[in-house]
Amino acid sequence: MNLEELHFDNGELKASAPPDHFAVFGLPRTLNLDEAELEQDFFALSRRFHPDFFVTKSADQQILSLKKTSALNNAYRVLKNKISRAEYLIELETGVAFGESGEAKQVPTELLSDVMEIRERIMDFDGEDSQRAALQRDKIWAQQKQSETDTEINRIAEGWNDATKADLISDLKDALSERRYFSGLIRDLGKASD
Amino acid sequence: MAYSEKVIDHYENPRNVGSLDKSDPSVGTGLAGAPSCGDVMKLQIKINDAGIIEDAKFKTFGCGSAIASSSLATEWLKGRSVEEARAMKNTAIVEELNLPPVKIHCSVLAEEAVKAALEDYDKKQAARAATREVREPELVGVV
């Protein structure tokens, strides 16, 4: 353990929380970031801290290089994609992982009944051509809806800053919740009808 | 995370899977969705003139706990009165199935589906009563 990671809390020595994924890259917590730039930073930092460069160093140095490399990998995996980045940001801002809050946030009933109907069609599918055609239409519909939520997420990302985030977080949660329905449908429609 | 034996039992042998006629005025249909996990649940109840739930069916597309919660709910609902159904709480499902904290929202989903089904039934009954009120004077006129 690095000594800088320890601090006193009410007279007790405690390990401080590891830096968040944004801090690993020296970035502010934001939705909108340049993914190409992030990739370049990831490669550059991974090279600089690669354990291969530390084989002749002390055991402590070797451990730190491993830890840094693993933190970089974890951070990059979450941040490189806008959806996982958005979900992570919600966890940072609210302290609760997206999807585990169990809050009674309602998705519109109309959307639920559309999803239910498509789920029933997937379940009833037994290889018939007309059913397959219906599933393919459903898939196009779901892709269309998913791209609408992506547009909405982009809109939120563009307006996202420290002053607006408190207001935008619930819009972002709604958009991400709806998007999960569509991405789940696209996945299962593909499995059933392709 | 390990599922309890009861969850596995309901998941492997779900009770009352299926659909009732949603256009039937004595049938209430409730839909509920789990925010942020893409689950969707449909729960239907058929209520007789005495206010007793004669039949209950569900279809759930979601995780094992969501399926078990809705399966248990339909089993519990059958033979109960509408009033008892209105008082149903998700905590009873949590206890019966021994759900861990991360799966409590599955039982909430089942409770919401039951509430939505009752609301749908109430709406249908109100609409029925309203048409009766409109028709009655006409009937008097005919007689």
Side-chain angles (χ1 to χ4, degrees):
Chain A
M1 168 143 325
N2 187 343
L3 284 180
E4 275 101 315
E5 287 177 30
L6 299 173
H7 67 276
F8 279 102
D9 182 5
N10 279 335
E12 274 184 44
L13 195 55
K14 293 215 171 124
S16 44
D20 71 52
H21 292 332
F22 291 98
V24 168
F25 283 98
L27 291 165
R29 293 177 178 185
T30 181
L31 254 183
N32 237 353
L33 60 82
D34 186 330
E35 286 166 17
E37 213 170 279
L38 179 76
E39 189 183 43
Q40 284 175 4
D41 286 354
F42 173 62
F43 289 150
L45 290 166
S46 299
R47 226 174 290 127
R48 193 194 307 167
F49 294 104
H50 198 284
D52 282 1
F53 299 133
F54 291 82
V55 281
T56 61
K57 301 275 164 58
S58 69
D60 276 0
Q61 287 285 296
Q62 292 185 26
I63 290 169
L64 285 175
S65 129
L66 265 177
K67 280 175 105 177
K68 181 71 182 175
T69 305
S70 135
L72 279 166
N73 286 332
N74 290 336
Y76 182 60
R77 200 183 54 241
V78 171
L79 298 185
K80 69 178 174 183
N81 167 285
K82 184 168 261 172
I83 302 304
S84 57
R85 188 162 70 237
E87 291 179 2
Y88 177 64
L89 202 51
I90 286 177
E91 184 177 343
L92 283 182
E93 296 294 343
T94 64
V96 184
F98 179 71
E100 281 176 14
S101 59
E103 60 191 295
K105 199 92 194 264
Q106 271 300 325
V107 181
T109 314
E110 200 189 6
L111 169 63
L112 286 180
S113 78
D114 287 341
V115 172
M116 193 75 208
E117 275 175 30
I118 294 174
R119 290 275 165 206
E120 289 180 323
R121 277 198 285 278
I122 296 174
M123 203 174 71
D124 295 340
F125 178 56
D126 50 22
E128 210 183 282
D129 283 347
S130 64
Q131 289 177 322
R132 189 188 306 276
L135 293 188
Q136 276 157 0
R137 278 196 300 278
D138 289 337
K139 192 173 161 194
I140 292 166
W141 175 83
Q143 282 164 338
Q144 168 71 33
K145 299 296 273 185
Q146 178 173 281
S147 94
E148 283 170 25
T149 59
D150 285 342
T151 308
E152 167 72 358
I153 291 167
N154 285 335
R155 185 192 67 78
I156 295 167
E158 262 151 45
W160 187 275
N161 58 47
D162 281 346
T164 58
K165 65 185 183 189
D167 291 330
L168 287 175
I169 206 147
S170 121
D171 288 353
L172 182 60
K173 278 193 200 170
D174 287 350
L176 288 170
S177 298
E178 291 195 11
R179 196 182 188 283
R180 284 214 176 169
Y181 280 101
F182 303 128
S183 62
L185 281 177
I186 293 166
R187 180 194 63 222
D188 294 339
L189 284 163
K191 265 193 246 163
S193 70
D194 288 348
Chain B
M1 183 204 61
Y3 282 126
S4 73
E5 269 176 42
K6 278 179 181 165
V7 171
I8 292 168
D9 179 35
H10 276 276
Y11 176 68
E12 288 180 344
N13 313 293
R15 280 61 140 182
N16 310 310
V17 174
S19 289
L20 300 169
D21 177 8
K22 69 174 178 193
S23 59
D24 182 338
S26 68
V27 169
T29 300
L31 278 174
S36 62
C37 51
D39 288 1
V40 59
M41 180 182 286
K42 180 173 80 176
L43 193 145
Q44 296 180 298
I45 45 179
K46 186 174 170 64
I47 296 162
N48 69 16
D49 291 339
I52 301 295
I53 297 168
E54 277 184 346
D55 202 1
K57 297 272 186 208
F58 82 95
K59 270 188 188 173
T60 293
F61 298 95
C63 68
S65 301
I67 291 170
S69 296
S70 37
S71 170
L72 178 69
T74 52
E75 207 177 40
W76 184 88
L77 286 166
K78 281 211 250 179
R80 306 262 171 172
S81 70
V82 172
E83 280 62 40
E84 283 175 303
R86 284 190 212 286
M88 196 192 103
K89 284 272 167 290
N90 76 299
T91 44
I93 297 174
V94 174
E95 277 168 32
E96 177 69 19
L97 294 177
N98 210 354
L99 293 178
V102 294
K103 289 292 174 186
I104 287 176
H105 70 276
C106 297
S107 67
V108 174
L109 201 60
E111 184 189 316
E112 280 173 8
V114 173
K115 292 227 163 78
L118 287 163
E119 270 170 33
D120 182 52
Y121 171 76
D122 289 343
K123 232 185 257 171
K124 280 178 172 173
Q125 293 303 305
R128 236 177 156 190
T131 41
R132 236 179 261 138
E133 272 166 34
V134 174
R135 273 186 199 148
E136 263 161 33
E138 289 173 23
L139 282 174
V140 172
V142 170
V143 171

